Amino acid sequence: MHKQIVLAKRPKGKLLASDFELETVPLPTLSDGEVLVRNSYLSMDAGFRYWMNEGSGNNILPAMTLGEPVQGVVLGQVEASRNPRFQPGQKLMARLAWQEYSVLTPDNDAVYPVPGGWPCADKLFLGVLGETGMSAYIGTEDIGKLQPGQTALISAAAGAVGIVAGQISKIRGAKVIGIAGNDKKAQKLISEFGFDAVINYKTCGDLTTAIAEVCPDGIDFYFDNIGGDMLKSAIDNLAQGARIALCGAISGYDQTQAQPGPSNLFNLITKQATMTGLMTHFDAQRYNQIRSQLFNWLDSNQLKNAETLYQGIESAPAAFSAIFHGSNFGKSIVEI
Amino acid sequence: MHKQIVLAKRPKGKLLASDFELETVPLPTLSDGEVLVRNSYLSMDAGFRYWMNEGSGNNILPAMTLGEPVQGVVLGQVEASRNPRFQPGQKLMARLAWQEYSVLTPDNDAVYPVPGGWPCADKLFLGVLGETGMSAYIGTEDIGKLQPGQTALISAAAGAVGIVAGQISKIRGAKVIGIAGNDKKAQKLISEFGFDAVINYKTCGDLTTAIAEVCPDGIDFYFDNIGGDMLKSAIDNLAQGARIALCGAISGYDQTQAQPGPSNLFNLITKQATMTGLMTHFDAQRYNQIRSQLFNWLDSNQLKNAETLYQGIESAPAAFSAIFHGSNFGKSIVEI
């Protein structure tokens, strides 16, 4: 028998831990080509929230099924294999599910070996050296193209991706402004992670005005993890030729109906600004190279890992919902 | 005395010819540094509609003033000059106003000589060889980056910019789909301007479905002149890595309140798509080079000029409002 977390209800409004249920089920048996993976860590990624909605299937993933284990990226070890490509003991990361044991099927196209020989904990490959770091890097480097002295605005700055994006922006010589939801996080971002300023969007009053005060010359790069009204406030403050990386839309995931987009897209025209969607999924061939760069920054202490570690698969619902209630800091990982 | 068209009312809802009034006023006298220009042609550009709204002033232009001549791009000839940079008889284009005579002040930063020695009518420099052509070229070439066999969707395809953008897309080997508001225009775009298909958005039913039928592999490039629901339908149909050029927002100009943006921006993420604002204003140093390319295409008949010529300054209100009521075809120019 093993434990798993299933999607019990499709979240309505703000996602709650009670949208999930813990189940104990028999260990699966393997068919030809399949691999049994003992999961060690679950990566808590806000983006997966999207596929919990009814009818959300798209070119990336199908919608999750009610009563089935929650899909997500895990790091584990091969326990048994009926596939010659995988040997017992081998460590891998894959898009599997919130379970103690998962079956990797031969059609899974999101499987990566855990890189061997790196002087760091495996779980970093789920965070700053994994998809999280890739999103931050590709968004900031490829889309942000920051020049020294430019201004970067980072939403969800205390979140897994935002805290890395902000630090990369700083490495590139930008003035880095974060947006976060409480003063404690804000202070930590400034004192420990090199942010120049952080706006608390819950207490700042009108966000457009608050951004304008901290960024009087406008924003050259906006890293968007949120969408909605926050994106609108950023667009109100664009500098000429600004770049926006759309990395997520947390404000939209929680809505049962599609929310209108920002009403000020015309500003993109007058500012010759660019808004680009970011989906690391399609850039897997670059991961090794990017991972080396991120590791070098970590090693030289220019980049700090920020992580919240939860214990036991039972904690996954609370860990995941914390992201949507703003009580997370850095990368959230569940250790099984 | 000379005639001018003033902004009599701020347009409410759909712009009407009656929002303007014809006035006859004394010829202006010149101060030091000023130039009297006798206007020969007025360029009818949908974009200027934006600055007719209350409070629309931005980094490009101030809002137009009620009771004052309508701002726009004109082509004229220097009649008298108190500025050593300009000599009587010299032809120029400038952001001036809908008047028989305009005063060019020394702070006007949008003045260009009419290029001499080209074997074509001057008025082409207001259209396909002017701002119109620049918008189409920069949007299609710099933002669209079309590869042979890709699909381009062009909104307002029978409009001044759209008809050029569609033809450039064709020159680049794309399958070119237009969107227009009546079947006669649609037929003309196909039979005379090389479009592969044209969707009549007024009769096609659900536009998202209609686009999907004509573009089963999705859209690689969308040239947006419209914004609003049409932009949303295009975003619903993006191919992986699609590019959107935001060139105008006709659907928004007519609204008295800011309209919500498309509710499906999340598609930009899953499709790694890019949306870029286009404002030729900032690329003036490239005009000569682009103009040569456009002229060569005209000369070799790969690109056809489409123009509606109106006679007399009195016709400017009707000519301009026709753009918003869909009764224009190609570039609209008023000959004075």
Side-chain angles (χ1 to χ4, degrees), chain B residues 270-284:
Chain B
T270 60
K271 296 296 171 60
Q272 289 191 303
T274 291
M275 188 151 87
T276 303
L278 170 61
M279 185 55 75
T280 56
H281 186 75
F282 301 102
D283 281 305

Side-chain angles (χ1 to χ4, degrees), chain A residues 67-219:
Chain A
E68 291 291 318
V70 177
Q71 306 291 303
V73 175
V74 312
L75 187 152
Q77 195 159 9
V78 174
E79 181 86 4
S81 175
R82 292 186 63 181
N83 183 327
R85 286 171 51 218
F86 298 93
Q87 309 305 324
Q90 191 180 337
K91 288 178 181 175
L92 54 79
M93 293 174 290
R95 203 190 295 124
L96 291 169
W98 296 359
Q99 302 168 300
E100 290 182 307
Y101 290 86
S102 293
V103 173
L104 182 68
T105 54
D107 61 342
N108 192 316
D109 61 353
V111 192
Y112 309 96
V114 173
W118 290 61
C120 64
D122 285 347
K123 61 186 161 60
L124 262 61
F125 296 113
L126 288 181
V128 64
L129 298 179
E131 290 286 339
T132 300
M134 300 304 150
S135 294
Y137 183 94
I138 294 173
T140 309
E141 294 284 282
D142 293 19
I143 300 174
K145 296 188 181 74
L146 282 161
Q147 298 297 319
Q150 291 192 328
T151 298
L153 180 71
I154 314 288
S155 67
V161 175
I163 203 164
V164 179
Q167 292 181 87
I168 295 174
S169 300
K170 198 72 220 173
I171 289 168
R172 293 310 183 199
K175 171 176 162 184
V176 182
I177 313 300
I179 301 176
N182 74 54
D183 291 341
K184 201 175 143 195
K185 286 183 185 182
Q187 270 315 312
K188 202 165 169 179
L189 290 170
I190 294 169
S191 60
E192 295 180 32
F193 293 88
F195 282 66
D196 293 286
V198 178
I199 298 168
N200 180 340
Y201 71 91
K202 290 181 178 164
T203 59
C204 70
D206 178 61
L207 183 58
T208 295
T209 309
I211 295 170
E213 279 168 8
V214 191
C215 310
D217 300 325
I219 305 162

Side-chain angles (χ1 to χ4, degrees), chain A residues 228-229 257-263, chain B residues 260-264:
Chain A
D229 290 342
Q257 294 204 317
Q259 296 301 294
S263 58
Chain B
S263 59
N264 56 352

